[in-house]
Every structure is written in C-alpha cells, then in structure tokens.
Amino acid sequence: MPQPCPIHGTPHLDGYAVRTAGFLGGQVFDYVEAMRARFPHANAVSFGSCAARNAGTRKKVKYCAECRDALWAWCLEKRRSHEGALPFVDAVVAHLSATRGS
Ligand SMILES: [Zn+2]
C-alpha cells in the first residue's frame, strides 16, 4: 500500500494524471515549486518529453483528493494573477474538471 499523504494524512484514491509534452511555459516551474510545498500527491500531471506522442492521454495514478483541491486553488490563483495564455494551467484545469469525482 502507498503511504498516505504526508501533508493531509489522507489515503490515496485511484485516478488519472494527464500526460503533457513539450514546454508549457514558466508556470511549470511555479507548479513544481508549489507542488512540493502544497500538493505533493496531487499527481495530476505526468510530464513527457518534447516528442511524446501520447500527450493529452491519461495515466493511472494514486492521488490525494485534498492535494488536488490545493492544486485547483493554485490554478485559480494563477488565472487571477496572470493576463494572457496559460497553457499549462489550462491543461491542469481541464484535466481536473474532467476527472473530478472519478
Ligand atoms: Zn494531500
């Protein structure tokens, strides 16, 4: 059995991460930094190489629902504080919207 979330202490659920490919903007660095501190087990994104052909497909993962809530809040913060395109944040929001409750 995987360990429960170190921040929230909640057991993990079965779900999906979305595979990404290529460079999706500077938000990726913010994401990795915020993830370590706030949602280490959100497991919503699986980073692929630039040439990954399976981008946009899903990968089975275990995740912490509370980490995903924290990730969702982070995406909303990014949207509020940034004008213009945020392809990475949009990809995460789309994935979370599509997979909530599943
Ligand atoms: Zn958690």
Side-chain angles (χ1 to χ4, degrees):
M1 282 296 286
Q3 295 298 306
C5 176
I7 291 186
H8 303 107
T10 47
H12 289 144
L13 304 174
D14 289 310
Y16 296 93
V18 64
R19 291 190 176 93
T20 64
F23 183 68
L24 294 165
Q27 302 86 42
V28 175
F29 301 112
D30 290 349
Y31 169 84
V32 171
E33 202 167 290
M35 178 183 71
R36 290 197 184 112
R38 293 167 56 184
F39 39 86
H41 290 219
N43 278 346
V45 181
S46 170
F47 292 102
S49 70
C50 290
R53 287 187 189 160
N54 54 4
T57 61
R58 292 175 184 177
K59 173 187 170 185
K60 272 197 147 173
V61 293
K62 301 270 185 196
Y63 72 95
C64 164
E66 293 187 52
C67 280
R68 289 213 169 175
D69 285 346
L71 170 59
W72 181 263
W74 178 84
C75 289
L76 297 184
E77 279 169 32
K78 284 281 148 198
R79 268 260 153 266
R80 270 199 298 270
S81 63
H82 187 92
E83 299 270 323
L86 285 172
F88 177 74
V89 173
D90 289 345
V92 173
V93 166
H95 178 66
L96 290 179
S97 301
T99 57
R100 277 200 145 182
S102 68

